[in-house]
Amino acid sequence: MKRMIDKNLRTVNYLRISVTDMCNLRCIYCRPKEGLSLFERKEILTFEEICSIVRYSVNLGIHKFRLTGGEPLARKGIESLVRCMAGVSGVEDLAMTTNGILLKKYAAELKNAGLSRINISLDTLNAEKYSKITRGGSLEAVFSGIEEVKKVGFKNLKINVVIMAGVNDDEIEEFAQLTIDKNIEVRFIELMATRNKKKLKGASFFPVDMVVERIKRQWETEPLLAKSGNGPAKRFRIIGSKGSLGFINAVSNPFCSNCNRLRLTSDGKLRSCLLEGGEVDIKPIIREQGASIANRSIEFSDHQKEELCEAFYKVINMKPKAHEGSSDVVMSQVGG
Ligand code: SAM
């Protein structure tokens, strides 16, 4: 089986795909109130194009995939992309990161289409605060989405909490408490300074180590081994609890030495890192004359395959040894 290894000897086997730069929320740390100018429709990769890239990248040793955005469920027909990707031989894990607002509607279809796992971004358990952080989002919609996800049989549900001083750091214990009688993983994530965050007020950094300290002050905990699908999170659980806790200090202690991922933006840029390192536009390769669409997937010519291979290797070797924890990216374009 083929493996891609970068110049820092990291095996790259994971691709996070942003399927749209649109989002149905405007989180204070992610998107400005007035929204962003969106990519033109013709610039966005079609599902056939995405699925063909997936099919190709499996040959290079990529077996884990995650759909993100923008908001992946805001892209019409997303379940058909899931179905197409789940049917690709060699796709071992197919997950999605969503804000959960539309999950009540889509959870069953996503399950039927072959999605393996779902992470839900949820920064507060307070309805009023949720509406403020997301600029108008409904916490009730997220809760009913979570119920639906469980009802249709998704396992290993993760809740991602971006922890922010003065915004939701008063809810650390409440989030931890959720894991006592629910089989979910709550993961605390450090706020990264990105292009919009630099301009926006009202969200400031809170170190994940302090979250750990607060939880350990209140409960006895036991460490958990990293398990497949848990990526960079350090994990433990409150003794006797059904669920678990994860901690991602992407800023204070980046996990770059173990980074196994690349990213694909919805307009076809293959990126080496969330924050830095550079990217290669693979859309011109995909759209090169001669590609034929058969059975809803594109048959790449030998020339295209060579160019794609070159692009993937170029990008893995752009991966920085370690990132700085901040950058000028627009998170909803790159896909958090
Ligand atoms: N709309 C989907 C969602 O909400 O999960 C997927 C895209 S969103 C950009 C992916 C993740 O990035 C979310 O968990 C969000 O909280 C996180 N995120 C966005 N901006 C961030 C920032 N500045 N620092 C840390 N996480 C951020």
Side-chain angles (χ1 to χ4, degrees):
M1 196 189 282
K2 194 154 183 162
R3 279 170 73 187
M4 279 196 298
I5 300 176
D6 78 354
K7 60 179 190 285
N8 290 301
L9 302 181
R10 295 170 293 199
T11 299
V12 176
N13 56 12
Y14 180 19
L15 182 62
R16 292 169 76 104
I17 303 172
S18 172
V19 294
T20 177
D21 58 334
M22 284 186 300
C23 190
N24 46 2
L25 298 178
R26 301 267 177 277
C27 295
I28 50 169
Y29 52 82
C30 190
R31 288 166 83 89
K33 198 181 345 187
E34 61 282 7
L36 287 164
S37 56
L38 296 173
F39 295 140
E40 273 183 66
R41 203 186 165 137
K42 66 178 187 335
E43 299 303 329
I44 302 280
L45 296 178
T46 64
F47 289 158
E48 292 75 20
E49 288 170 333
I50 295 174
C51 204
S52 302
I53 294 167
V54 167
R55 188 170 285 115
Y56 178 75
S57 61
V58 162
N59 296 323
L60 294 178
I62 296 188
H63 300 287
K64 285 183 59 173
F65 297 87
R66 176 172 295 278
L67 299 175
T68 176
E71 170 50 40
L73 297 180
R75 181 146 177 198
K76 210 166 154 228
I78 186 69
E79 66 288 353
S80 67
L81 175 63
V82 171
R83 179 162 288 109
C84 179
M85 287 174 63
V88 173
S89 155
V91 172
E92 291 166 5
D93 188 39
L94 176 53
M96 178 181 283
T97 297
T98 167
N99 59 36
I101 295 278
L102 294 171
L103 270 176
K104 169 108 181 128
K105 184 168 170 206
Y106 286 112
E109 281 180 76
L110 294 171
K111 180 80 184 148
N112 287 338
L115 191 71
S116 333
R117 294 181 299 115
I118 296 187
N119 290 8
I120 297 175
S121 306
L122 177 62
D123 300 332
T124 176
L125 299 168
N126 174 297
E128 211 176 300
K129 205 193 281 184
Y130 185 80
S131 172
K132 273 196 191 140
I133 295 176
T134 59
R135 297 201 179 93
S138 153
L139 184 61
E140 210 185 314
V142 184
F143 283 159
S144 50
I146 293 175
E147 281 311 306
E148 194 66 16
V149 161
K150 287 196 272 177
K151 195 168 120 197
V152 304
F154 278 104
K155 304 269 186 297
N156 298 327
L157 180 65
K158 292 186 191 131
I159 306 284
N160 287 342
V161 183
V162 175
I163 192 76
M164 292 165 280
V167 176
N168 59 356
D169 59 320
D170 57 331
E171 294 186 64
I172 291 171
E173 289 80 4
E174 208 179 327
F175 270 112
Q177 179 94 36
L178 281 183
T179 66
I180 294 181
D181 53 10
K182 291 190 178 55
N183 185 11
I184 54 169
E185 177 152 311
V186 171
R187 309 197 311 169
F188 294 94
I189 298 172
E190 283 177 344
L191 181 70
M192 288 175 263
T194 56
R195 187 184 312 173
N196 296 313
K197 198 258 155 187
K198 277 182 198 158
K199 282 190 207 148
L200 296 165
K201 304 236 181 311
S204 43
F205 183 75
F206 190 94
V208 148
D209 283 353
M210 266 169 74
V211 179
V212 172
E213 205 183 296
R214 286 256 296 270
I215 293 171
K216 290 197 170 180
R217 216 181 287 159
Q218 181 144 344
W219 289 282
E220 262 194 77
T221 61
E222 58 187 353
L224 289 172
L225 287 178
K227 65 176 181 189
S228 135
N230 272 83
K234 293 192 189 86
R235 305 169 63 235
F236 62 68
R237 77 167 150 237
I238 296 172
I239 289 182
S241 65
K242 291 190 178 149
S244 52
L245 293 155
F247 304 90
I248 304 184
N249 13 19
V251 178
S252 62
N253 188 10
F255 49 90
C256 305
S257 61
N258 294 322
C259 181
N260 62 347
R261 47 186 74 175
L262 294 181
R263 291 166 185 276
L264 180 64
T265 64
S266 56
D267 66 336
K269 311 279 187 338
L270 193 61
R271 282 186 67 88
S272 58
C273 165
L274 172 61
L275 299 175
E276 298 164 26
E279 59 189 25
V280 169
D281 188 358
I282 60 170
K283 197 166 52 194
I285 306 175
I286 308 298
R287 294 191 176 169
E288 197 172 87
Q289 291 240 317
S292 67
I293 295 184
N295 301 325
R296 293 183 61 76
S297 91
I298 297 166
E299 292 296 328
F300 293 134
S301 66
D302 287 346
H303 180 246
Q304 282 175 303
K305 286 181 192 162
E306 266 168 41
E307 290 205 341
L308 275 175
C309 186
E310 212 172 287
F312 270 84
Y313 275 93
K314 188 169 175 189
V315 174
I316 67 163
N317 283 312
M318 283 175 170
K319 279 177 78 59
K321 192 165 182 189
H323 65 61
E324 297 286 326
S326 68
S327 98
D328 209 26
V329 295
V330 176
M331 201 66 111
S332 59
Q333 287 173 355
V334 179

